[in-house]
Amino acid sequence: MLEQAIFQATLDELVASGYARLSMEAVAAGAQTGKAAVYRRWASKEELVLSAMRAMLPPVGPVPDTGSLRGDLLELMRSARSAMLSLPGSAVRVIMGELDQERARPFLGLMHECVMDPGKAAVLEVLRRGTGRGEVRPEAVTPLVADVAPALMLYRAKMQGPPTDADVVALVDEVLLPLVRA
Amino acid sequence: MLEQAIFQATLDELVASGYARLSMEAVAAGAQTGKAAVYRRWASKEELVLSAMRAMLPPVGPVPDTGSLRGDLLELMRSARSAMLSLPGSAVRVIMGELDQERARPFLGLMHECVMDPGKAAVLEVLRRGTGRGEVRPEAVTPLVADVAPALMLYRAKMQGPPTDADVVALVDEVLLPLVRA
DNA sequence: TCATTAGTGAACGGTTGCGTTCACAACTGT
DNA sequence: ACAGTTGTGAACGCAACCGTTCACTAATGA
């Protein structure tokens, strides 16, 4: 289907060129169609990218419940890593990287809604469950603490490249567990 | 001096348009000079931006030594916040935001050398001093832990806008101190 | 004063991309 | 078969920008 091909090409272009330099011409070429077909559906680059992101970001999965805090955090972070390394995840990283720029500001709401808020909610749920088991000190269950893992993963991915599974284990064992334990 | 004006305009343009869309014409116009004068000194946009960043980033200040871990961390993070909110700091954030893109890859070395490595070294020194005082558990003195603060500050700045002093205090008290304490 | 250097503003030829239009072909549904 | 819809590839006029060149002016130093 043509719309699917256009969305796919949009994400490819985002990852290759960033939002700032993404061009409708390149997207149309990547989808093997003409500009007219793209403009018939979306009036602007912004509209197209918003639609492509909404359509291509996977639904949020269930919050893991392994019976232990470490187990939950590991599963959550492995799932986050996996999302990060996917095409939609890579496109999200591009957009987030450009959020300091005025041009990408319209994407802030989408990033909150589809990426950050669900991720934060999942971490908070795991932490709450941990307080019930006496594994987590209650004062650690805050939005700020819940932001530590995504922040670190994004930052380290920029500095060193894609995170490994060992990176995920280190994040949980060296940062998250010491930070939240009772 | 003309070079100073060109560097200033370069940073202004970085913050306004990002690296991807920064143009030599806009830089020249911002410096109230002509393209020929810019090209006489720098062969490319990359060269210009590398030079401007090297010239305009302030030297790293001394590592605070207040006598207490909390005091040191607060001073360090206040200083980081202040740097972040400056023009060079804003330009650094733009470059870092684009590091996932091939085009900005040449800046990775500079970012490590002038921004990340010195910041990390300062945090590690403060932590090491804290182990000496029995305030910090020795296993917390790692590069990963030292990345928590910059990562969180950048992430939160994107999500919510410029950090306040209260944000800095919360970062120290809710995240850093619980994370590293003995 | 004169020679040299540097800067200015404009212009050049070329590239990329925008948003739009168009003639024609292909597809779909009645 | 016919009418309506959609897509294709090309073209349009315009804008922005590139890297370079140029005639002239201004500044500097001997």
Side-chain angles (χ1 to χ4, degrees), chain B residues 9-83:
Chain B
T10 301
L11 296 204
D12 289 336
E13 258 327 280
L14 269 175
V15 172
S17 311
Y19 177 68
R21 291 223 84 110
L22 175 138
S23 75
M24 300 295 261
E25 271 194 37
V27 169
Q32 294 181 304
T33 188
K35 274 198 289 185
V38 176
Y39 278 107
R40 278 184 68 253
R41 294 165 170 77
W42 300 282
S44 65
K45 170 165 128 172
E46 177 187 317
E47 234 184 84
L48 169 62
V49 172
L50 279 168
S51 292
M53 299 298 296
R54 285 187 197 280
M56 303 285 279
L57 285 174
V60 180
V63 181
D65 194 347
T66 63
S68 81
L69 176 67
R70 184 170 186 271
D72 288 355
L73 288 175
L74 269 179
E75 274 214 32
L76 205 48
M77 295 305 134
R78 278 177 168 141
S79 159
R81 170 180 175 259
S82 174

Side-chain angles (χ1 to χ4, degrees), chain B residues 59-169:
Chain B
V60 180
V63 181
D65 194 347
T66 63
S68 81
L69 176 67
R70 184 170 186 271
D72 288 355
L73 288 175
L74 269 179
E75 274 214 32
L76 205 48
M77 295 305 134
R78 278 177 168 141
S79 159
R81 170 180 175 259
S82 174
M84 239 179 105
L85 301 185
S86 69
L87 179 63
S90 299
V92 164
R93 282 157 64 205
V94 164
I95 296 284
M96 286 177 81
E98 294 184 43
L99 277 178
D100 292 306
Q101 296 169 44
E102 196 53 47
R103 175 193 303 117
R105 206 50 50 75
F107 296 93
L108 188 56
L110 179 72
M111 290 294 108
H112 273 284
E113 189 191 318
C114 300
V115 182
M116 291 173 290
D117 293 349
K120 189 180 302 200
V123 174
L124 287 173
E125 188 175 331
V126 163
L127 295 183
R128 262 183 229 112
R129 218 185 279 137
T131 65
R133 283 194 296 254
E135 290 181 276
V136 175
R137 59 188 175 84
E139 325 83 72
V141 189
T142 68
L144 183 58
V145 169
D147 279 345
V148 169
L152 253 189
M153 283 176 90
L154 287 170
Y155 184 84
R156 287 214 140 206
K158 267 187 213 299
M159 303 309 138
Q160 307 169 174
T164 62
D165 188 71
D167 290 330
V168 169
V169 174

Side-chain angles (χ1 to χ4, degrees), chain A residues 22-25 35-36 39 43:
Chain A
L22 173 139
S23 76
M24 299 297 261
E25 276 196 30
K35 276 201 287 187
Y39 278 108

